[in-house]
């Protein structure tokens, strides 16, 4: 089991103290719509299975300054109460700067972006807004686990 699943349990315990909860998981049909829309709007980007696995546990996350992007609200089968920062719409915003097009953005915090570097083939934490490399990761799982650990401190 990826470490982020255990960390999500910790996040959920904290959220429940404040009468809040994690977002619902996404359905297979929502994942299919997301993949099709990514191809239309962002090009030939393949999202990793581990990110899809994350979405099947929770549709994005907004906790203690850390945001992991979810399936865009327009692609969801049902309306949601809480605003979801969508993967597609957020990447479209970041792509307004040409230098950022080498990354697939999965999330951000007050001080960092969590991305996949298309040129280097590695997951990275970048300083926000300079884009300076802070840390590299070998997988989406390890990047999200590291981000969650930092948000739980």
């Amino acid at each position: 089991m990826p470490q982020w699943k255990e960390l999500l349990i910790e996040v959920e315990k904290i959220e429940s103290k404040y009468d809040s909860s994690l977002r619902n998981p996404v359905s297979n049909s929502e994942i299919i719509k997301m993949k099709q829309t990514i191809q239309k709007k962002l090009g030939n980007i393949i999202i990793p299975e581990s990110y899809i696995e994350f979405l099947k546990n929770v549709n994005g996350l907004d906790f203690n300054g850390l945001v992991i992007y979810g399936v865009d609200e327009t692609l969801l089968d049902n309306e949601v109460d809480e605003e979801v920062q969508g993967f597609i719409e957020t990447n479209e915003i970041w792509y307004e700067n040409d230098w950022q097009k080498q990354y697939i953005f999965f999330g951000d915090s007050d001080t960092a972006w969590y991305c996949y570097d298309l040129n280097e083939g590695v997951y990275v934490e970048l300083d926000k807004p300079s884009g300076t490399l802070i840390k590299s990761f070998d997988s989406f799982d390890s990047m999200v686990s590291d981000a969650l650990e930092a948000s739980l401190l």
Side-chain angles (χ1 to χ4, degrees), residues 77-132:
D77 296 335
N78 302 303
E79 273 190 43
V80 289
D81 295 337
E82 188 181 354
E83 180 186 345
V84 175
Q85 283 193 270
F87 175 87
I88 297 166
E89 62 194 23
T90 309
N91 272 277
E92 286 179 318
I93 291 167
W94 297 136
Y95 286 1
E96 289 174 7
N97 294 319
D98 275 343
W99 71 269
Q100 291 174 306
K101 291 180 181 174
Q102 83 179 62
Y103 302 105
I104 300 171
F105 292 84
F106 291 100
D108 64 84
S109 69
D110 298 335
T111 59
W113 283 302
Y114 297 95
C115 316
Y116 180 74
D117 186 328
L118 293 163
N119 294 346
E120 301 296 325
V122 66
Y123 291 88
V124 293
E125 178 183 351
L126 302 175
D127 175 68
K128 187 177 171 186
S130 74
T132 305

Side-chain angles (χ1 to χ4, degrees), residues 22 33 53 62 68 82-83 85 88 133:
L22 295 178
K33 285 191 276 187
E53 177 72 18
D62 190 342
I68 304 297
E82 188 181 354
E83 180 186 345
Q85 283 193 270
I88 297 166
L133 178 67

Side-chain angles (χ1 to χ4, degrees), residues 6-96:
E6 294 167 18
L7 295 167
L8 273 182
I9 293 167
E10 294 304 310
V11 170
E12 190 163 34
K13 286 177 187 173
I14 293 167
E15 290 284 348
S16 69
K17 289 179 188 175
Y18 299 98
D19 290 329
S20 189
S21 61
L22 295 178
R23 295 184 186 133
N24 290 329
V26 298
S27 67
N28 286 333
S29 69
E30 291 166 335
I31 294 288
I32 291 166
K33 285 191 276 187
M34 180 186 186
K35 287 180 176 181
Q36 291 169 341
T37 307
I38 287 171
Q39 297 305 309
K40 284 182 206 156
K41 292 189 170 192
L42 301 176
N44 197 22
I45 291 175
I46 306 296
I47 54 176
E49 283 301 316
S50 48
Y51 176 57
I52 292 168
E53 177 72 18
F54 182 88
L55 294 174
K56 287 183 177 181
N57 280 267
V58 59
N59 185 24
L61 183 72
D62 190 342
F63 175 77
N64 203 18
L66 172 66
V67 176
I68 304 297
Y69 310 139
V71 173
D72 299 61
E73 288 180 46
T74 57
L75 302 175
L76 296 176
D77 296 335
N78 302 303
E79 273 190 43
V80 289
D81 295 337
E82 188 181 354
E83 180 186 345
V84 175
Q85 283 193 270
F87 175 87
I88 297 166
E89 62 194 23
T90 309
N91 272 277
E92 286 179 318
I93 291 167
W94 297 136
Y95 286 1
E96 289 174 7

